[in-house]
Amino acid sequence: MKQPLLSIVNDHVSDYPSPSNLNYFWSFGSIAGICLVVQIATGIFLAMHYTPHVDLAFASVEHIMRDVEGGWFLRYMHANGASMFFIVVYLHMFRGLYYGSYAQPRELLWCIGVVILLLMIITAFIGYVLPWGQMSFWGATVITSLASAIPVVGDSIVTWLWGGFSIDNATLNRFFSLHYLLPFIIAGASVVHLAALHQYGSNNPLGTNSAVDKLSLYPYFYVKDLVAWVVFAMVFSIFVYFYPNTLGHPDNYIPANPMSTPAHIVPEWYFLWVYAILRSIPNKLGGVAAIALVFISLLLLPFMNTSPIRSSNFRPLYKRLYWLLVADVVMLSWLGQQPVEDPYITLGQLGSVYFFIYFLVCIPLLGRVEHALLTYKTSNTTMSY
């Protein structure tokens, strides 16, 4: 095609060559793109009716729910869409971990994905503050106060974040501005993510070189993706229409009250595993350092990997450690909503230790162990002949 725009669509969408053995787990990338579009679209319309002022924010959200035509639908789409977005992105990342999609030559692709996850977490956190309910206010108080643990500049950072000496109108205003801006930065990062993907092509379930066995995206994988989109739309609709508040916290329907602290402050469910790691360390600075180490570990993963074999289908030891990691993250998410008392503290510390052992010890060593075992087995087999 001679038209520049149509040729881009043709080369990178309809005729884009994909490995012939891709399964449904490769649909989560496109579903994540749909989620981002839904969040930006609903967010723009919600911003038309929202008022970023401490005296009016809660009332403006109720105004959207009760008085604006279709406002309830927009808000439930946006609130549940955030949860759906994180579910899809977590599945997308765990698929990458299982099939070794982070391995050479796709290091940049993985690192950009981790940056997108970090931007999503920041965006979702400041968005959770905007309804100005009890959990919004106190969640913001707890999380922003963590910056005070940073030596020398910590208190100045907190004051800058708050726009004063406490969370007030300036805080809400700047959080609203950032919440409106960051999704467009995520969209830009997603385009870079796609560009990095198309540089070397998609990985595949076998983890082998599939350069000689590819099919065009349309019509072969378009149909497979369409099935995944329909299933996703059905699940999303069930939450929006029948269980809109299941994934939220009831305390956020109480207006923010700086004079009344909730008995148990918890973040949204998709932050719970990080929150569990944070609070498993009794020292505030240590907790902040642990959170930083989580994302550093994820960023360094492609460079610490020592195995030439990508897919877990051919790595039985790695597969066991991988499913232990999945169970560990699920356990941490459960622990993150429990009271800060034993045995939850001890379990959280054990779960945090395994999380870091997996990335910082198992990943670098396992490739060498597998190579040694394979060499030993091959030499024994040769000697037997």
Side-chain angles (χ1 to χ4, degrees), residues 295-306:
F295 292 98
I296 291 170
S297 301
L298 290 170
L299 284 169
L300 292 179
L301 174 63
F303 310 102
M304 294 188 294
N305 177 52
T306 55

Side-chain angles (χ1 to χ4, degrees), residues 110-123:
W110 175 265
C111 291
I112 295 170
V114 174
V115 171
I116 291 172
L117 175 65
L118 181 59
L119 288 171
M120 283 178 59
I121 288 174
I122 295 170
T123 306

